[in-house]
Amino acid sequence: MYSMTTSAMPAPRGPITRKDVARYAGVSTAVVSYVVNGGPKKVAPATEAKVQDAIRRLGYRPNAAARALKLGSSETLGLIIPDNTNPFFSLFAHAVEDAAEDLGYALVLSNSDGNLATERRNIKNLAARQVDGVLLASVLFEPDLEALETADIPSVLLNQDRDAPGFNSIGVDLAAGAKMAVQHLISHGHTNIGLAMGTNVSGTLDGREVGWREALRDAGLPEGPIIYSEFTRPGGYAAGQRLLASVNRPTAIFASSDMQGIGLLRAFHEAGVAVPGGMAIASFDGSVEAEYSWPPLTTVEQPVAAMAEAAVAALVGAGRGEKPRHRIFPTTLHIRQSCGCP
């Protein structure tokens, strides 16, 4: 007598359902659910293999919307950053994605392009998607999160060096990091140290500028020239050209981002100014690109992985539901050749 096997069964027509998978694998729909959701009950390896084979053969795709409705969670986090073409923010986004994945969450990434209106639009879009939390590297110190608060969606502010009352926030001590870099340039004998400082929408005084001023003051040195430009390669390039043309031309420069440092290098190379012989550079961020520039940039490195893990944990991990707090992480000075070290 002929016995029909699962491999001989015809594939059903129309959208594939959990019942189709269960029928094909010869199990209950509950078992299919356990396999798809990883629990709550364990499934024997041989049975799980049959279900996975049925899913693959039939092309079954679980209904994410139905699952979210059942669980009361989209199992998704949102991340808003100024620019994912910036290697530092790419590194940060990757670290957040890894941390979210470890807790079973997917990540939706959006760019604000450093624009306040775009940032607000992205926040509203994520709120409409009912994500489980939002991580925001805002252009403002205290951003407008009304859309998230109305939807009861928690958030964490990134890149915050000061406490923002009522918010969970993550950052590094910008002033301390900058001061450390400038002090290192001073240790090389430089007495005229300029600053290539990035601009921000909020117009607040950046901690990196504070640290630069403090290091010079503590050493009894006058402040060198300051050029304000964007936190980008073109911004650093323009700053480099202006610093070279300055009447009070410095012998060393602290750049507030690695991208500005890369732009400075191009400006100096084009002008025939040797780095570090004719001009020393130290920058801020610790991106991979700083390691592969020529010469490699001495940079203040931020602990991206640790910050990403803490930010995600505050939303959906061990820190979920706790009273909002501000967490500051230490920076380290990664010494390479651009400062004058061998």
Side-chain angles (χ1 to χ4, degrees):
M1 186 172 179
Y2 179 74
S3 175
M4 180 177 288
T5 64
T6 55
S7 61
M9 289 180 66
R13 296 177 180 178
I16 305 301
T17 68
R18 188 176 299 178
K19 287 183 179 180
D20 296 324
V21 175
R23 190 180 303 114
Y24 195 98
V27 300
S28 69
T29 54
V31 171
V32 175
S33 177
Y34 300 154
V35 172
V36 170
N37 297 319
K41 293 185 178 180
K42 291 184 178 180
V43 177
T47 303
E48 182 176 357
K50 285 199 302 182
V51 173
Q52 294 288 9
D53 180 65
I55 290 172
R56 185 175 62 256
R57 289 176 180 273
L58 296 178
Y60 172 64
R61 296 290 181 270
N63 188 322
R67 174 178 167 81
L69 186 63
K70 182 178 180 180
L71 296 177
S73 165
S74 65
E75 297 182 309
T76 303
L77 299 179
L79 172 63
I80 303 173
I81 55 178
D83 180 12
N84 70 346
T85 65
N86 182 319
F88 172 74
F89 284 112
S90 295
L91 185 67
F92 209 138
H94 199 159
V96 169
E97 185 176 18
D98 287 343
E101 184 179 14
D102 287 344
L103 295 178
Y105 287 77
L107 186 70
V108 176
L109 171 67
S110 59
N111 289 273
S112 68
D113 295 321
N115 181 278
L116 182 56
T118 304
E119 177 183 298
R120 287 173 173 164
R121 185 167 64 249
N122 290 341
I123 290 173
K124 289 180 180 178
N125 287 340
L126 290 173
R129 290 174 180 269
Q130 286 294 300
V131 296
D132 292 293
V134 171
L135 303 99
L136 170 63
S138 179
V139 298
L140 297 176
F141 175 61
E142 294 186 5
D144 178 10
L145 300 179
E146 182 181 356
L148 299 180
E149 292 167 353
T150 300
D152 198 26
I153 297 174
S155 61
V156 174
L157 303 182
L158 308 176
N159 264 22
Q160 294 280 320
D161 67 331
R162 291 169 290 169
D163 186 16
F167 294 101
N168 267 312
S169 54
I170 301 285
V172 298
D173 191 331
L174 296 176
K179 188 174 182 178
M180 179 168 50
V182 177
Q183 286 173 333
H184 184 73
L185 292 173
I186 294 171
S187 73
H188 280 282
H190 295 285
T191 57
N192 186 2
I193 301 174
L195 173 65
M197 186 64 235
T199 54
N200 58 68
V201 173
S202 64
T204 56
L205 183 62
D206 193 286
R208 284 160 285 200
E209 182 174 340
V210 173
W212 171 77
R213 293 180 187 275
E214 287 181 352
L216 296 175
R217 185 188 65 232
D218 291 352
L221 296 175
E223 293 178 1
I226 305 177
I227 300 297
Y228 296 98
S229 61
E230 294 183 350
F231 285 100
T232 60
R233 300 175 187 87
Y237 179 67
Q241 290 179 317
R242 292 172 61 187
L243 285 164
L244 286 174
S246 173
V247 174
N248 182 29
R249 178 169 160 173
T251 61
I253 296 171
F254 171 61
S256 60
S257 74
D258 288 344
M259 295 302 94
Q260 288 174 300
I262 298 295
L264 288 171
L265 285 174
R266 178 184 170 184
F268 299 152
H269 289 329
E270 287 183 355
V273 176
V275 177
M279 186 76 73
I281 302 175
S283 58
F284 199 104
D285 276 340
S287 66
V288 175
E289 192 161 342
E291 183 179 357
Y292 289 93
S293 62
W294 189 253
L297 285 169
T298 289
T299 181
V300 178
E301 190 169 356
Q302 303 188 57
V304 170
M307 290 193 295
E309 289 172 6
V312 171
L315 292 177
V316 295
R320 174 171 45 189
E322 292 183 358
K323 183 179 178 180
R325 65 182 181 127
H326 180 52
R327 292 193 61 183
I328 285 288
F329 289 78
T331 56
T332 55
L333 184 63
H334 201 130
I335 297 174
R336 299 193 178 99
Q337 286 76 54
S338 67
C339 61
C341 286

